[in-house]
Amino acid sequence: MTHYTATGLDSRKLAFWAFIGSECLLFGSLISTYLVYKGRSVRGPTPQEILNIPLTSVSTFVLLTSSLAMVLALAAVARGDKLWSRVWLFSTAFLGSIFLGFQAYEFTEFVHNGLTITTNLFGSTFYTLTGTHGAHVAVGVIWLLTLLVRSFQGKLGPDKALNVEIAGLYWHFVDVVWIVIFTVVYLIQ
Amino acid sequence: MATAVAEVKAEKASLGSTLWSWLTTTDHKRIGILYGVTAFVFFLIGGLEALIIRAQLAHSGNDLVSAETFNQLFTMHGTTMIFLAVMPLSAAFFNYIVPLQIGARDVAFPRLNAFSYWVFLFGGLLLNASFLFGAAPDGGWFGYPNLTSKQYSPGLNIDFWVIGLQVLGIASLAAGFNFVVTIINLRAPGMRMMRLPVFTWMTLVTQFLVITAFPVITVALVFLMFDRFFGTTFYSTAAGGDLLLWQHLFWLFGHPEVYILILPAMGIVSEVLPTFSRKPLFGYAVVVYSGLLIGVMGWGVWAHHMFAVGMGPIADSVFSATTMLIAIPTGVKIFNWLATMWGGQVQFRTPMLFALGFIAMFIIGGLSGVMHSSAAADLQQTDTYFVVAHIHYVLFGGAIQGIFAGIYYWWPKITGRLMNEKLGKWHFWLSFIGMNLAFFPMHFIGLLGMPRRIYTYSPELGLDTLNLVSTVGAFLIGISVLIFIYNVWWTRRHGEVAGNDPWRAATLEWTIPSPPPPYNFSVIPEVVSRLPRWSVTQMKAIPEVPPEPIHLPGGSYWPVVTAFGILVMAAGALLHSLWVVLLGGAVLVVGIYAWAFEPFEV
């Protein structure tokens, strides 16, 4: 699979960088909309009344830790270490799932406290932004679990490290987006 | 699935296997032809809509169509021409020509390329299926809420539009990633960036605009869809929302989109002019950098579509200034094209006529564009026929004429036969006269006070004659397109056989047979200069028969299955049926996994 390319870069990796660039515009539009509409809701609940910063700090920490696991997974796959590539791939997916669990809990709490997607502008922008991010994490978890299955099938040797590297690019990107969202939505109110 | 060339036999294939081979094809040339034919059919549909619009406006107080039908006609005319005609007609050339110009055997991701085409086809069919339900979109191609909010557009019309455009966005994005990577990564040895043909360069800029602009409209459309389907409040002023949010997001996409439509045509013209002036393009580097600059600056002018909404003097001044600035790289290109012809041996073949028509008409459209950049003047022109005149000089006089230049220019490469010159000239002159009759009076119609998008007008306005002239012009364009179709039919039987290089052109695609063999290049060329066929330092000749067997990727039906999953999801969303959406999602997931794991070597 060593094709000649004009830049020496693998085409899939290049395509993925282009995809990430495109995703920046997607999240950029969502985050801008959140900021533009901040404080314009005509009725509550407001972010100050409802956001649970300690809880989300924990889930943020979990997601950041998963990026570390992702790095270790790639290193393990690249050196052909089957056991540890499985451990770290599973850990990454597992930590991602925990983050999603936190988000599901958070959304349920909010709905009980009277904030749905139709309640006010805060609800509309908040759920759309964080929901889009959550959907990205969910896709990432499924992707990682697929890689884990491939590993158990014995089809994830060092020659396939690029597959893991690209999944890692995606995972780290989704993580970085969360740092921005966490800062903009939760920390700067 | 390596295909040794010697094994390819000229058997008469059965209809079934022919259909199957097109359905599963991953060959960029076949996908290019699919794009071209499909987009041309949509071009005819959009043209027919335009003719009905012009027939309705032929004289005052006409009642050929109702106001409701008229709204559907102009909305679908705009949407069709932009998303289903001009963009995919350009995509036909991206697909067919770009790999040939950079010395590649295919695009970087052949199956993704097929997927783009099928999603585009399904999206186009979905949009037009709205006619069958008598519920074609009727909120204008710009879809401003609250006009398009549930309250004022309760029917299916806007649902078709909102969902159809999201589907088409997927197709454009997938193709965008594919061509960015193809152009950057699949260049033949020696094909440095500054040796790329200008058409390929403009394709690259266009694709960068696509992958950055389409996410923005996707977000705007998702908000509108949520407002309509789930009762969110993004575009609800009662809930504190701002209707200008849509306008900003839409034009943030919409203005780069204008350059997505025109840059490929500029690229085509930059290929045609040197060939028929027998001179290299004047100031290649400047033309390339101007194109890049247009792409970058295209992101900073969007609010000139919004001078009438009252953004305040600062914003108005800033966007006036940026809009005037973007005229500079455009003007630079025009002077480069003129200088290319200066002192050359100009040959007035049909592609050249269309290229010259492009320059002349684009100058008129560009000048009225600069007039809009003055916010004070623009207030008089907003929502009048003056703007309609402007966009048609840019998009018909510019984009469509550029595309026809490309069709006549590359037709011999694609089919192996030259189109009829006499019919081609009839086509050009009728369409050239027709477009000026149709669109030039619109400047006056607009300045004299006729608003756009109204289904009729009163005789007191005194615009009957000018409107009739415009209608006659539109039908002349219609006749010219019929001549083109006849030319295509005639050429199939009687067209002169072209050979490799009927125009004695400079770029790489003319070194190989017409039509090109499935593998394009029997050996990957070593490029030694920007104009490989005109340089003193000649590149190594490309043998007629490949010296060794060539590996070609096989076909795959997973792209069309995956695309079908998206169509089912879209249809489910239209029907408000979660089960159908989930079913489509299941097809999509199966398609993606089967695609990822099928043995397929590029």
Short mmCIF file of all heavy atoms in Angstrom, two decimals, chain B residues 14-24:
data_model
loop_
_atom_site.label_atom_id
_atom_site.label_comp_id
_atom_site.label_asym_id
_atom_site.label_seq_id
_atom_site.Cartn_x
_atom_site.Cartn_y
_atom_site.Cartn_z
N SER B 14 -24.62 -6.63 -23.21
CA SER B 14 -26.07 -6.61 -23.09
C SER B 14 -26.52 -5.36 -22.35
O SER B 14 -25.73 -4.73 -21.66
CB SER B 14 -26.55 -7.85 -22.34
OG SER B 14 -26.22 -7.71 -20.98
N LEU B 15 -27.79 -5.01 -22.51
CA LEU B 15 -28.30 -3.79 -21.88
C LEU B 15 -28.15 -3.86 -20.37
O LEU B 15 -27.72 -2.90 -19.73
CB LEU B 15 -29.77 -3.59 -22.26
CG LEU B 15 -30.41 -2.32 -21.70
CD1 LEU B 15 -29.79 -1.09 -22.31
CD2 LEU B 15 -31.91 -2.33 -21.91
N GLY B 16 -28.47 -5.03 -19.82
CA GLY B 16 -28.39 -5.20 -18.37
C GLY B 16 -26.99 -4.96 -17.85
O GLY B 16 -26.78 -4.22 -16.90
N SER B 17 -26.03 -5.57 -18.50
CA SER B 17 -24.67 -5.43 -17.99
C SER B 17 -24.15 -4.02 -18.23
O SER B 17 -23.34 -3.51 -17.46
CB SER B 17 -23.74 -6.46 -18.65
OG SER B 17 -23.55 -6.15 -20.00
N THR B 18 -24.64 -3.37 -19.30
CA THR B 18 -24.24 -1.98 -19.52
C THR B 18 -24.75 -1.10 -18.38
O THR B 18 -24.00 -0.31 -17.79
CB THR B 18 -24.81 -1.46 -20.84
OG1 THR B 18 -24.45 -2.35 -21.87
CG2 THR B 18 -24.29 -0.08 -21.15
N LEU B 19 -26.05 -1.26 -18.05
CA LEU B 19 -26.63 -0.49 -16.96
C LEU B 19 -25.86 -0.73 -15.66
O LEU B 19 -25.52 0.19 -14.94
CB LEU B 19 -28.10 -0.89 -16.76
CG LEU B 19 -29.12 -0.11 -17.58
CD1 LEU B 19 -30.52 -0.64 -17.28
CD2 LEU B 19 -29.03 1.38 -17.27
N TRP B 20 -25.59 -2.02 -15.38
CA TRP B 20 -24.89 -2.38 -14.15
C TRP B 20 -23.52 -1.74 -14.12
O TRP B 20 -23.07 -1.24 -13.09
CB TRP B 20 -24.81 -3.91 -14.07
CG TRP B 20 -24.15 -4.39 -12.81
CD1 TRP B 20 -22.93 -4.99 -12.70
CD2 TRP B 20 -24.69 -4.33 -11.48
NE1 TRP B 20 -22.67 -5.28 -11.40
CE2 TRP B 20 -23.73 -4.91 -10.62
CE3 TRP B 20 -25.88 -3.84 -10.95
CZ2 TRP B 20 -23.93 -4.99 -9.25
CZ3 TRP B 20 -26.07 -3.93 -9.59
CH2 TRP B 20 -25.11 -4.51 -8.75
N SER B 21 -22.84 -1.72 -15.27
CA SER B 21 -21.48 -1.17 -15.28
C SER B 21 -21.51 0.33 -15.02
O SER B 21 -20.60 0.87 -14.38
CB SER B 21 -20.79 -1.48 -16.61
OG SER B 21 -21.26 -0.63 -17.62
N TRP B 22 -22.56 1.01 -15.47
CA TRP B 22 -22.65 2.46 -15.18
C TRP B 22 -23.04 2.69 -13.72
O TRP B 22 -22.59 3.63 -13.09
CB TRP B 22 -23.67 3.14 -16.10
CG TRP B 22 -23.11 3.38 -17.46
CD1 TRP B 22 -23.19 2.55 -18.54
CD2 TRP B 22 -22.35 4.52 -17.91
NE1 TRP B 22 -22.53 3.10 -19.62
CE2 TRP B 22 -22.01 4.30 -19.26
CE3 TRP B 22 -21.92 5.69 -17.28
CZ2 TRP B 22 -21.26 5.23 -20.00
CZ3 TRP B 22 -21.17 6.61 -18.02
CH2 TRP B 22 -20.85 6.37 -19.36
N LEU B 23 -23.89 1.79 -13.20
CA LEU B 23 -24.36 1.94 -11.82
C LEU B 23 -23.21 1.72 -10.83
O LEU B 23 -23.21 2.30 -9.74
CB LEU B 23 -25.45 0.90 -11.57
CG LEU B 23 -26.48 1.18 -10.48
CD1 LEU B 23 -27.28 2.40 -10.82
CD2 LEU B 23 -27.39 -0.03 -10.31
N THR B 24 -22.28 0.89 -11.19
CA THR B 24 -21.20 0.54 -10.26
C THR B 24 -19.87 1.17 -10.65
O THR B 24 -18.85 0.88 -10.04
CB THR B 24 -21.00 -0.99 -10.21
OG1 THR B 24 -20.67 -1.42 -11.53
CG2 THR B 24 -22.25 -1.70 -9.74
#
